[in-house]
Amino acid sequence: NLTGYATTGETQLQSALYAQEQFTLGDGVQINGGIRGENDAPLGTALTPSLGLGVPLTTGTRLVVNAGTAFRVPTIIDRYYPGYANPNLRPERSKDADVTLQSSAFLGGATLGFFLRDASNLIQLDSSFVPQNVARASLRGLFGTLRTRPYHGFVTSLSVTDTYRALNVSPGMPATRLLF
């Protein structure tokens, strides 16, 4: 139970339950599935499933594919913090997926991937840093990570993400780049 800023008297309650199962087949293929049930009073409830598949390609190299849905409620700070908040925010819902190529054979490990997210009521800050809902948003991107081999217990990572598409695609409006 979270209580808002002392002058608002608002409360918000969140409870959730998550279950996941993973199977590994004889050829090293991994399949996993999960479901999260969430109740966020007073903002709503959701069931958000996810499914993943990992397939070994060669020794030390795997292809991983994931898909799922997400439900994100605005925080009590997003809704009620004086001078910053928007009490009219609605929960964000999205469909998400990613495809990742993982290699343990290159340096200390490397990944290269693609992700996508299509959201309704995406919560983002406007130009005055006040949270707002974007009716429809579409995001696409590429990411990569290189890791060094451990050296005296230390590992260094370099990660790069290119969100080449981050658009407000709300009905009746021209597609524009999301802020921030």
Side-chain angles (χ1 to χ4, degrees):
N1 190 11
L2 300 173
T3 302
Y5 192 76
T7 60
T8 68
E10 298 292 333
T11 61
Q12 206 167 299
L13 177 67
Q14 181 182 53
S15 58
L17 181 64
Y18 180 75
Q20 180 176 336
E21 186 63 55
Q22 179 172 312
F23 301 97
T24 302
L25 306 179
D27 55 1
V29 172
Q30 289 182 329
I31 302 169
N32 65 67
I35 190 159
R36 178 181 170 94
E38 189 169 324
N39 179 33
D40 294 283
L43 297 171
T45 61
L47 283 177
T48 55
S50 62
L51 185 63
L53 176 69
V55 179
L57 300 177
T58 63
T59 302
T61 304
R62 298 180 59 76
L63 180 66
V64 178
V65 179
N66 296 294
T69 61
F71 177 72
R72 177 179 169 234
V73 296
T75 67
I76 204 157
I77 292 171
D78 290 337
R79 296 177 64 220
Y80 297 109
Y81 193 82
Y84 162 81
N86 178 353
N88 299 316
L89 287 174
R90 294 176 307 278
E92 174 183 312
R93 295 179 185 267
S94 66
K95 295 177 184 173
D96 308 279
D98 63 81
V99 178
T100 307
L101 185 61
Q102 303 171 333
S103 174
S104 61
F106 186 74
L107 295 171
T111 59
L112 184 61
F114 165 79
F115 64 88
L116 66 86
R117 173 176 237 192
D118 290 321
S120 61
N121 293 322
L122 178 79
I123 300 167
Q124 78 154 22
L125 299 179
D126 66 12
S127 59
S128 299
F129 301 100
V130 174
Q132 302 292 333
N133 284 116
V134 173
R136 295 267 184 250
S138 176
L139 296 97
R140 306 288 185 270
L142 302 169
F143 60 91
T145 302
L146 292 174
R147 286 174 295 286
T148 63
R149 290 184 175 89
Y151 181 75
H152 297 292
F154 290 93
V155 173
T156 302
S157 297
L158 171 65
S159 297
V160 176
T161 301
D162 177 16
T163 308
Y164 62 84
R165 177 184 170 106
L167 295 177
N168 178 343
V169 291
S170 298
M173 298 178 58
T176 56
R177 183 85 179 173
L178 293 169
L179 297 173
F180 309 108

